[in-house]
Amino acid sequence: MVQMITVAGFVNNLFCFLAVLWTWWWENSNYKPRFITQALVILFTAALVIFWYYMRRLIESSKTVLQQHTSPPGPRGLPLVGNLPFLDAELHTHFADLAQTYGPILKLHLGNKVAIVVSSPSLAKEVLKDHDITFANRDVPAVAKTVEYVSCNIVSSPYGAHWRMLRRLCVAHMLSSTSLDTVYPLRKREVQRMVGEIYGNIGLPVNLSDQLFLTILNVITSMLWGGMLKGEGEIDLGAEFRHVVSEITELLGKPNLSDFIPCLAWLDLQGIQSQIKKLFLKFDRIFNSIIEQRLKMGIKDGEESKDFLQLLLHLQEKQTKTRLTMLHIKAILMDMVVGGTETTSNTVEWAMAELMNNDEIMQRAQEELEIIVGKDSRVEEIHLPRLHFLNAVMKEVLRLHPALPLLVPHCPSSSCKIGGYMVPKGARVFVNVWAIHRDPSIWEKPLDFNPERFLNCERDFGGNNFNYFPFGSGRRICAGISMAERMFMYELATLLHSFSWKVAERYGKVDLKEKFGIVLKKATPLIAVATPRLSNPALYE
Ligand code: HEM
């Protein structure tokens, strides 16, 4: 801008000088000797050249300034509602289609909210790495106003001291490798319970989707408060939990008019806020009763906490510098239950679905297990680091079916230039990791399920490779990667080692149709029939 003003000033002065010179020549033209005329013509031509040169620079620089303030391209919308009426329910494929027309960064108007969709590795890197702090915020959804948990949990909290404190607590005391090592017996118990359940239904169709969800839910609730779904009604309570978590993740992924036209939020036109509120009330009742029981038990000074909830309550009672409130405690419980269950169980379900459609790959994974574990033994977590092919299967599943296809939307705390375009403060930024993972310019035959591409290659999901980042990247990268990795490998290895699998007859080939929500699911649950593979029936008990 300063440059533009200086150039404009110079051009102005040049004009004044020329005008004065012209007036003087005109007034004295009666006497004009030949050399004065020549000098004036030369001077005038030189002035014109200089003038032209500076005008060009002025235009160039103003073009750059203009571009810096230019919005990304995008489809035209209607007044007031913008592009909202044209959004497809399957947002990830819809955004991928739009990117084909408008390019790797595009803008949509969703009511009075600006949405930016980024679909290339270099732009994802700009958002998640180069401008990490600016984009490390969330666009808190309208439901947060009806459900207090949502506004102060890890996933939705803005980048800052509160978010850091909650995240550190979870990572240090529940999700770190050391904490996970100590609760291996819980994982073992729950995975073995699942094996027993399937063994009891040998030859019959089993809803693997439900089994996988219940197993991870039981692992997480055991880590949080020692487990809840025990005794009679175990499956029913698990099913209710599943229903609530599924509904919440689906509703959170739905475009909500109240987010985009805030003055209409009180009307809750789609009923999303009221539905979510009811679902959270169910959680609240369960959390309240568990917390009450825990408080009654109390914890003595110096005594080690038995589970994560006990530790949180202890920290709250002691009023340590964490300044935890009961609301924060519930928000953390919610983060772990909602953030950890569907993501992990759906990924294992996708893995089983892909393997059941690819006999050779399934066989290769089972052969590896026979060599490393052996048919006379159960899978243990110590086997996992040696299962290289299975590890490649996990990476390939996370490539084709990233649990959060658009990550959790990010939100810039100030306007910021991405790919030469201005992304305004407060925009909702979607990073389409699903589209990047299927980009044919990055991946050979991207739609093929081919774990081989991850064998003998350094590519991992630590967030440093912007061709492949199923857990996100930067400060808001998934907090539960270690747990997800262990649970995925352990569950899948156990299922493949313990049983042979085939699709229930009436279902034919496994249908891989997706259903979008904040968590991407299989449109229909995976129903399969198992037969035992291990040498000794005692291994199924
Ligand atoms: C296969 C399993 C999983 C996948 C693919 C996954 C993926 C992700 C992704 C993509 C994000 C958003 C990153 C971003 O916004 O840039 C995220 C956030 C998060 N995940 Fe996971 N996740 C999985 C399992 C888990 C588990 C097991 C837990 C904990 C028990 C967990 C806890 C969280 C939390 C707390 C956040 C919010 C982080 C923040 O905003 O600071 N996730 N996850």
Side-chain angles (χ1 to χ4, degrees):
M1 218 56 192
V2 174
Q3 197 190 0
M4 270 178 76
I5 291 165
T6 326
V7 177
F10 176 82
V11 172
N12 203 23
N13 289 342
L14 191 72
F15 262 121
C16 291
F17 171 69
L18 287 174
V20 170
L21 206 65
W22 179 258
T23 318
W24 176 84
W25 179 77
W26 188 252
E27 279 172 1
N28 299 290
S29 59
N30 290 343
Y31 315 98
K32 51 179 187 294
R34 205 179 146 76
F35 82 92
I36 290 185
T37 315
Q38 278 173 346
L40 280 174
V41 168
I42 291 166
L43 215 63
F44 194 71
T45 315
L48 267 179
V49 171
I50 295 169
F51 175 67
W52 173 81
Y53 171 73
Y54 274 101
M55 275 314 277
R56 265 197 58 168
R57 282 198 52 184
L58 178 72
I59 290 163
E60 294 286 334
S61 69
S62 54
K63 251 198 210 160
T64 321
V65 171
L66 263 176
Q67 201 190 10
Q68 278 171 7
H69 290 279
T70 306
S71 292
R76 274 178 186 279
L78 299 175
L80 283 174
V81 285
N83 307 97
L84 270 178
F86 311 110
L87 285 188
D88 190 287
E90 299 298 303
L91 274 190
H92 61 309
T93 47
H94 179 58
F95 287 166
D97 290 344
L98 287 176
Q100 295 293 325
T101 312
Y102 297 98
I105 177 163
L106 63 95
K107 183 173 97 166
L108 295 166
H109 285 281
L110 306 180
N112 59 7
K113 163 93 33 198
V114 170
I116 302 289
V117 183
V118 162
S119 322
S120 77
S122 62
L123 296 179
K125 176 176 167 283
E126 281 192 47
V127 169
L128 300 172
K129 187 172 181 190
D130 304 346
H131 300 286
D132 182 13
I133 294 186
T134 308
F135 284 89
N137 292 281
R138 302 291 192 200
D139 181 23
V140 180
V143 291
K145 295 193 182 88
T146 38
V147 187
E148 282 173 298
Y149 289 2
V150 179
S151 53
C152 67
N153 66 0
I154 304 178
V155 182
S156 303
S157 289
Y159 174 64
H162 170 74
W163 163 80
R164 208 173 292 117
M165 181 271 283
L166 294 190
R167 193 174 156 120
R168 264 196 204 138
L169 261 179
C170 289
V171 172
H173 299 288
M174 183 171 156
L175 302 172
S176 67
S177 273
T178 324
S179 320
L180 288 169
D181 283 346
T182 59
V183 290
Y184 172 49
L186 295 180
R187 288 193 292 284
K188 197 169 162 172
R189 183 189 71 198
E190 293 306 327
V191 169
Q192 201 50 38
R193 183 207 57 78
M194 176 180 73
V195 167
E197 190 76 33
I198 296 169
Y199 191 67
N201 287 288
I202 280 299
L204 299 172
V206 174
N207 185 328
L208 262 182
S209 183
D210 282 350
Q211 284 298 331
L212 291 167
F213 180 83
L214 194 67
T215 305
I216 180 76
L217 177 69
N218 279 338
V219 168
I220 290 184
T221 53
S222 302
M223 286 163 75
L224 289 173
W225 55 73
M228 173 199 60
L229 309 174
K230 295 206 189 79
E232 274 191 40
E234 175 179 328
I235 297 291
D236 287 346
L237 197 46
E240 188 182 346
F241 240 84
R242 163 130 229 213
H243 169 74
V244 176
V245 175
S246 296
E247 292 270 297
I248 287 178
T249 50
E250 198 176 323
L251 288 170
L252 285 176
K254 257 191 188 164
N256 183 1
L257 268 180
S258 307
D259 284 332
F260 307 125
I261 311 178
C263 61
L264 298 183
W266 63 279
L267 285 171
D268 186 19
L269 287 169
Q270 295 150 280
I272 292 182
Q273 281 122 282
S274 65
Q275 285 180 63
I276 287 203
K277 195 172 179 178
K278 274 190 209 140
L279 294 167
F280 273 91
L281 277 176
K282 287 191 184 172
F283 266 129
D284 207 40
R285 272 198 295 274
I286 298 171
F287 288 164
N288 281 339
S289 104
I290 290 162
I291 290 173
E292 221 170 274
Q293 281 175 32
R294 269 277 173 272
L295 285 172
K296 272 188 202 147
M297 283 165 60
I299 181 165
K300 294 175 198 101
D301 273 339
E303 192 186 330
E304 211 179 302
S305 309
K306 287 188 184 65
D307 50 50
F308 192 45
L309 176 60
Q310 205 162 8
L311 174 98
L312 293 174
L313 291 171
H314 187 60
L315 291 175
Q316 188 227 3
E317 196 186 80
K318 289 274 156 204
Q319 275 300 306
T320 53
K321 60 178 183 243
T322 51
R323 295 194 190 288
L324 268 187
T325 66
M326 201 53 90
L327 198 67
H328 297 149
I329 292 180
K330 289 184 190 175
I332 290 178
L333 300 183
M334 180 65 63
D335 270 320
M336 298 297 102
V337 171
V338 177
T341 49
E342 284 239 295
T343 44
T344 314
S345 69
N346 284 333
T347 310
V348 185
E349 190 181 347
W350 279 116
M352 286 299 290
E354 288 284 5
L355 290 171
M356 284 166 70
N357 278 353
N358 291 281
D359 288 343
E360 273 177 31
I361 302 176
M362 167 92 88
Q363 208 179 328
R364 190 164 165 193
Q366 287 177 323
E367 278 166 13
E368 182 182 60
L369 282 156
E370 274 171 41
I371 296 166
I372 305 291
V373 183
K375 276 198 165 177
D376 301 331
S377 312
R378 290 173 180 155
V379 176
E380 299 281 343
E381 277 193 357
I382 45 160
H383 296 125
L384 303 183
R386 289 191 286 150
L387 297 169
H388 301 297
F389 186 71
L390 202 72
N391 190 273
V393 168
M394 171 175 66
K395 287 180 176 166
E396 180 68 341
V397 171
L398 284 164
R399 180 186 70 81
L400 270 176
H401 309 286
L404 275 68
L406 303 173
L407 305 183
V408 178
H410 288 240
C411 178
S413 52
S414 59
S415 295
C416 183
K417 220 174 83 182
I418 297 293
Y421 294 108
M422 207 36 117
V423 174
K425 175 182 173 180
R428 183 174 284 200
V429 179
F430 297 95
V431 179
N432 198 343
V433 64
W434 182 90
I436 294 173
H437 284 186
R438 288 171 180 236
D439 184 338
S441 68
I442 303 170
W443 304 92
E444 206 185 312
K445 297 195 181 157
L447 301 185
D448 286 2
F449 181 72
N450 175 19
E452 195 94 28
R453 64 176 102 233
F454 284 101
L455 271 182
N456 308 320
C457 97
E458 290 300 303
R459 205 178 262 143
D460 68 8
F461 34 61
N464 296 315
N465 181 331
F466 289 90
N467 290 343
Y468 181 67
F469 51 106
F471 291 96
S473 172
R475 283 171 169 73
R476 301 305 287 242
I477 195 170
C478 174
I481 300 181
S482 305
M483 164 128 183
E485 195 176 352
R486 283 194 198 206
M487 263 321 279
F488 178 100
M489 288 289 287
Y490 186 35
E491 273 193 315
L492 186 64
T494 303
L495 286 176
L496 295 181
H497 189 54
S498 311
F499 304 102
S500 298
W501 292 94
K502 67 176 175 110
V503 188
E505 246 160 48
R506 65 193 154 111
Y507 295 94
K509 223 175 171 227
V510 179
D511 180 6
L512 297 177
K513 205 160 166 253
E514 300 169 325
K515 184 169 181 228
F516 179 81
I518 194 159
V519 176
L520 191 68
K521 291 185 202 171
K522 240 175 102 338
T524 49
L526 179 60
I527 315 279
V529 178
T531 43
R533 283 186 84 241
L534 299 179
S535 60
N536 184 353
L539 294 171
Y540 292 95
E541 282 159 15

